[in-house]
Amino acid sequence: MILFKFCTASGGAKILETRSLLITSPLDLNDPFEMRPAWTEAHSKRHQEDQEQRNKMVAGSPMLVATKDGLKPSGFTPRLKEPEMVPVDNQLGIADMHNQRVFRELHRRYRVLCFSTGILDIGRSHDVSDKDNLMWAHYAESFQGVCIGVDPAKFENGIKPGGFQVDYSPARVHLPPSFYDVNQKMTAERVIAESIPFTKDPETGLFLMDHTREEIIEDQFISLLTHKSPAWKYEQEIRMIYDLDATKRSPDYLRQTFPCGPCLQQKKTAETCSHRRTYRDAVRLPAEAITAVILGSDISRQDASVILDLLAPPDFAHVNVYWCSLHSDKYILQYNQDRMTSEERYSLFMQRLREKNVADAKGHIRHADKGMTCVPAKKQSFMTTPSR
């Protein structure tokens, strides 16, 4: 199965130039639900019980106050009582406080790489689709970017070859309520059998070895990272999940550095950044793993030229290049295999015509003694037109 990565034109150029793909922290995914397991009434009840266990444990312990002469006894801790539970519907973001440990573990342990499927039948001279519009709009800079087709068998896939097919079930994934225990963990029933410790699992009642309990939590984290709201079903997503520690030990791991925000605005490189540089984790993407590049319908001629120049080396000779056009009568995208005309690539010829039409409509025309010149601009970019 060929997988497809939608990106901006500059992002696509970076992939081709560095022969790599950035892998993302779960905390940076565009849908914040993906990093937040559900917090249910059962979780609230368990948390209440956990706090009651704390109150029971500390009740009657000596209280000390600091004085000039040192710590002095000041009675005993009373038996505290937890307030009534607030219904989940009225908690208004309180779950983030409980999920802080989840955030930390997700970022420390995992990186994610997202792809779509079924975009194009590679090798055909042309193809059509009526379901990709949102992907181009959301992830490829409003059709001004590119889509890169890759063969997952030819680069590092993370913990599962071929990745995980995302589940779009309507029920939100949650971790077991006991995952959040603090005080009840200290009082959990334990036994020793043949010198091996076993702890009673509050969810199943079974006595489990520590590594078994860790494997269960691992599976639950993977489930969290491979479920999304049905609203995203149109993405037809395949997701690679990387164990960060294991990936860093792999020869396919890369760390890409970037200039800080102010230096980036000044178009400085990471090497010339005068402040603290940032970095992103990445995995190598060999040239043979790239099977196709699709130019968006509204990509600028300049950006298209950069992409095509990067595909010029011999090790990219096998890559199928397509350009995307809009059907004249229906909400359908037409994928056309690029080809050379007598003078230039057909995709560049078509983009030049599109830019001229848009520039003329926006009034992006520069007048000079030699005639009028169109001045291309990105979407929502406006410019003043100098007088002659």
Side-chain angles (χ1 to χ4, degrees):
M1 179 183 293
I2 300 301
L3 306 179
F4 295 88
K5 183 72 174 175
F6 287 86
C7 48
T8 64
S10 60
K14 197 71 174 178
I15 290 172
L16 298 175
E17 181 183 2
T18 63
R19 317 280 178 104
S20 67
L21 286 166
L22 299 178
I23 52 179
T24 302
S25 165
L27 304 194
D28 295 330
L29 295 172
N30 64 339
D31 181 0
F33 283 105
E34 295 185 58
M35 58 178 263
R36 289 175 168 87
W39 182 265
T40 66
E41 299 289 355
H43 288 78
S44 288
K45 183 174 184 296
R46 180 77 185 190
H47 178 69
Q48 183 95 349
E49 294 169 354
D50 192 62
Q51 297 304 296
E52 290 286 2
Q53 180 66 27
R54 176 203 59 185
N55 297 339
K56 181 180 178 181
M57 292 168 65
V58 302
S61 59
M63 296 177 63
L64 302 173
V65 295
T67 69
K68 292 182 179 180
D69 299 323
L71 295 176
K72 300 291 185 180
S74 181
F76 298 91
T77 304
R79 177 66 185 270
L80 303 175
K81 181 173 177 58
E82 287 298 304
E84 294 294 323
M85 287 194 311
V86 177
V88 168
D89 287 345
N90 299 333
Q91 289 182 5
L92 304 180
I94 289 176
D96 272 7
M97 175 184 70
H98 303 299
N99 278 322
Q100 179 62 31
R101 177 188 164 201
V102 179
F103 302 160
R104 186 165 52 249
E105 286 296 291
L106 286 173
H107 178 75
R108 182 183 68 83
R109 295 169 62 176
Y110 301 107
R111 293 294 181 267
V112 178
L113 182 54
C114 307
F115 296 97
S116 288
T117 59
I119 303 301
L120 173 66
D121 187 357
I122 301 296
R124 296 181 62 179
S125 61
H126 61 276
D127 208 347
V128 297
S129 174
D130 61 356
K131 58 183 180 297
D132 305 335
N133 296 34
L134 289 177
M135 297 300 297
W136 283 102
H138 291 165
Y139 300 110
E141 202 177 1
S142 301
F143 286 78
Q144 298 173 104
V146 298
C147 179
I148 299 178
V150 299
D151 183 348
K154 296 179 179 177
F155 69 96
E156 173 59 50
N157 291 178
I159 63 179
K160 181 183 178 182
F164 295 83
Q165 188 164 1
V166 170
D167 188 328
Y168 299 101
S169 301
R172 194 165 157 193
V173 174
H174 65 263
L175 298 174
S178 60
F179 173 84
Y180 301 88
D181 286 351
V182 175
N183 304 289
Q184 293 185 102
K185 283 181 180 177
M186 294 186 283
T187 58
E189 188 177 352
R190 291 174 69 85
V191 298
I192 304 294
E194 298 184 0
S195 302
I196 300 174
F198 291 79
T199 303
K200 187 174 183 179
D201 178 48
E203 307 299 329
T204 63
L206 300 175
F207 284 87
L208 304 175
M209 290 184 286
D210 288 345
H211 75 84
T212 302
R213 297 170 69 234
E214 290 172 1
E215 289 171 358
I216 292 173
I217 292 296
E218 176 90 7
D219 289 343
Q220 291 166 340
F221 270 77
I222 297 302
S223 179
L224 176 65
L225 291 172
T226 54
H227 279 74
K228 296 182 73 170
S229 162
W232 299 97
K233 193 171 183 178
Y234 67 88
E235 293 184 342
Q236 303 181 85
E237 185 176 338
I238 294 290
R239 178 165 287 184
M240 311 293 187
I241 299 179
Y242 297 84
D243 179 304
L244 185 57
D245 287 341
T247 302
K248 284 183 174 180
R249 297 192 296 270
S250 166
D252 292 311
Y253 173 78
L254 294 170
R255 173 179 280 199
Q256 291 192 14
T257 56
F258 299 87
C260 65
C263 288
L264 183 62
Q265 290 182 347
Q266 297 175 30
K267 298 185 178 180
K268 292 185 178 181
T269 64
E271 291 71 26
T272 59
C273 176
S274 54
H275 304 95
R276 188 173 182 179
R277 293 179 295 176
T278 60
Y279 77 90
R280 292 281 302 276
D281 302 296
V283 291
R284 298 184 190 278
L285 184 69
E288 59 267 24
I290 300 175
T291 62
V293 173
I294 310 171
L295 305 174
S297 64
D298 290 357
I299 190 172
S300 73
R301 191 172 186 275
Q302 180 181 1
D303 286 342
S305 296
V306 170
I307 296 293
L308 294 172
D309 288 344
L310 287 168
L311 290 171
D315 55 350
F316 281 137
H318 65 283
V319 176
N320 293 275
V321 180
Y322 294 83
W323 62 281
C324 171
S325 63
L326 310 182
H327 192 281
S328 297
D329 181 46
K330 304 173 183 176
Y331 289 115
I332 287 177
L333 301 180
Q334 298 170 307
Y335 295 122
N336 317 281
Q337 199 161 43
D338 199 15
R339 64 182 188 275
M340 286 294 297
T341 65
S342 58
E343 296 182 358
E344 62 180 340
R345 280 185 173 268
Y346 195 66
S347 59
L348 295 181
F349 168 74
M350 293 302 297
Q351 294 313 112
R352 179 155 50 82
L353 291 180
R354 185 196 67 81
E355 284 187 345
K356 182 180 182 300
N357 289 334
V358 172
D360 183 63
K362 287 184 174 181
H364 291 180
I365 304 295
R366 181 169 293 145
H367 300 272
D369 292 337
K370 295 182 179 180
M372 294 187 301
T373 304
C374 295
V375 185
K378 290 278 191 178
K379 288 184 178 179
Q380 298 181 350
S381 295
F382 299 95
M383 62 186 71
T384 58
T385 303
S387 59
R388 186 172 178 175

